[in-house]
Amino acid sequence: MLVVSVVSLKGGVGKTTVTLGLAGAAKARGVQTLVVDLDPQANATTVLDPVDVRFTANDVLADARPGVLGDAVAETAWGDYVDVLASEAALEHRNHPAAGTSVEHRLRSSMAGLTGYDLVLVDCPPSLGELTKNALAACHLALVVTEPTLFAVTGAQHALTAVDVVRRGFNLRLRPAGIVVNRYRGQSGEHRYRLDELLAAYRDLVLDPVLPERSAITQAQGACVPVQRWPTPGAREVALVFAQHLDHLLAVGPADGSLTKGARSR
Ligand SMILES: Nc1ncnc2c1ncn2[C@@H]1O[C@H](COP(=O)(O)OP(=O)(O)O)[C@@H](O)[C@H]1O
Ligand SMILES: [Mg+2]
């Protein structure tokens, strides 16, 4: 099982879009996937439209007993291959725990022994609070999302530094999986310039191809269906990009072998 966190320290850049695009690509491929929605805004949950939510990520983090996450996952309106651990607004207060308490291992502990999934995608909130730390502590790979703007390089840099801090602090298996450049418009000189900047700084990490801006993405999300099922040329274009990014993640894989602090033996 491969666990991937989708991160950026900024909102609105496309974390949820990338999470859902990868989940749709995984579904099309028959890869059993769990989306863990760790954003209190619950956008991924809304689009996946789960059938019967009895417990949310908030309940799971409150409990945190080994394996409890498995009891909280819900089936989604997307059907086979994609389940969700739903979010809710009340999750927000877990982003700011009382000073001195260390709670970053709760997601990882709740996932212990989880079976039935090939891929777990964790959609993170737009900050490096306790929720994103929980995601980074629980995953093998961190996928950074950015837009080709003035702040892209510094934004990616901050996210990668955060990944490194968590890796050295409490998850030695954690590695960056790459940088997704989202909402790219090839006609824009500014976008081309910013992409060049990103490539100059992180050539090995920028995922190819970039994800173009296409209204099909918003339309499919509005209809609560995978973009892979949206019947327009724009949708087919982005579906192809997500399929390639999924290939990349599965090829990089979990890279077992390094024991982490606090890793539990099964
Ligand atoms: N490549 C894209 N083309 C068109 N719209 C996009 C694209 N990526 C994201 N969006 C839209 O932008 C908004 C913010 O994206 P979202 O994935 O929710 O960002 P985040 O999760 O980082 O806050 C959403 O309405 C989404 O549909
Ligand atoms: Mg989001």
Side-chain angles (χ1 to χ4, degrees):
M1 188 175 82
L2 174 67
V3 186
V4 182
S5 292
V6 182
V7 297
S8 77
L9 308 188
K10 203 162 157 277
V13 297
K15 289 175 295 301
T16 300
T17 294
V18 168
T19 303
L20 294 172
L22 290 169
K27 176 180 168 63
R29 194 80 60 80
V31 174
Q32 286 286 0
T33 300
L34 172 66
V35 173
V36 172
D37 190 354
L38 271 200
D39 187 346
Q41 290 190 40
N43 295 337
T45 302
T46 301
V47 177
L48 290 169
D49 197 15
V51 182
D52 179 22
V53 175
R54 289 176 303 143
F55 302 104
T56 69
N58 188 36
D59 303 316
V60 167
L61 293 181
D63 184 320
R65 274 175 304 159
V68 75
L69 185 145
D71 300 330
V73 301
E75 292 180 4
T76 68
W78 287 23
D80 289 345
Y81 298 113
V82 183
D83 289 347
V84 69
L85 173 63
S87 181
E88 60 171 323
L91 184 59
E92 176 61 34
H93 76 279
R94 300 207 178 275
N95 220 4
H96 316 284
T101 53
S102 156
V103 292
E104 65 269 357
H105 284 299
R106 296 182 82 84
L107 179 65
R108 181 171 181 150
S109 138
S110 74
M111 279 174 63
L114 182 69
T115 55
Y117 298 102
D118 308 308
L119 179 65
V120 178
L121 297 166
V122 188
D123 188 16
C124 290
S127 68
L128 186 64
E130 211 59 30
L131 291 168
T132 298
K133 279 195 208 149
N134 264 274
L136 291 175
C139 70
H140 305 100
L141 298 175
L143 189 60
V144 175
V145 183
T146 187
E147 288 181 352
T149 62
L150 172 61
F151 309 111
V153 172
T154 43
Q157 193 180 0
H158 286 145
L160 290 167
T161 303
V163 169
D164 199 47
V165 166
V166 169
R167 186 181 61 77
R168 282 182 288 155
F170 41 86
N171 181 6
L172 287 174
R173 69 182 184 178
L174 175 62
R175 288 175 302 156
I179 301 170
V180 177
V181 180
N182 183 30
R183 297 193 95 121
Y184 186 74
R185 293 193 306 273
Q187 327 82 290
S188 159
E190 170 71 7
H191 280 197
R192 289 199 303 273
Y193 181 80
R194 298 303 171 189
L195 178 59
D196 284 345
E197 265 187 350
L198 276 164
L199 287 168
Y202 299 111
R203 178 162 296 281
D204 297 337
L205 280 177
V206 174
L207 295 196
D208 184 34
V210 297
L211 191 58
E213 179 160 80
R214 293 292 176 266
S215 52
I217 286 184
T218 320
Q219 290 163 348
Q221 287 171 2
C224 296
V225 298
V227 73
Q228 285 78 6
R229 279 190 37 207
W230 201 250
T232 63
R236 281 192 286 281
E237 200 182 336
V238 297
L240 210 58
V241 175
F242 286 127
Q244 290 175 76
H245 290 181
L246 178 68
D247 281 341
H248 168 74
L249 294 175
L250 296 176
V252 174
D256 285 318
S258 56
L259 277 177
T260 57
K261 284 184 201 169
R264 58 189 71 242
S265 53
R266 300 193 200 137

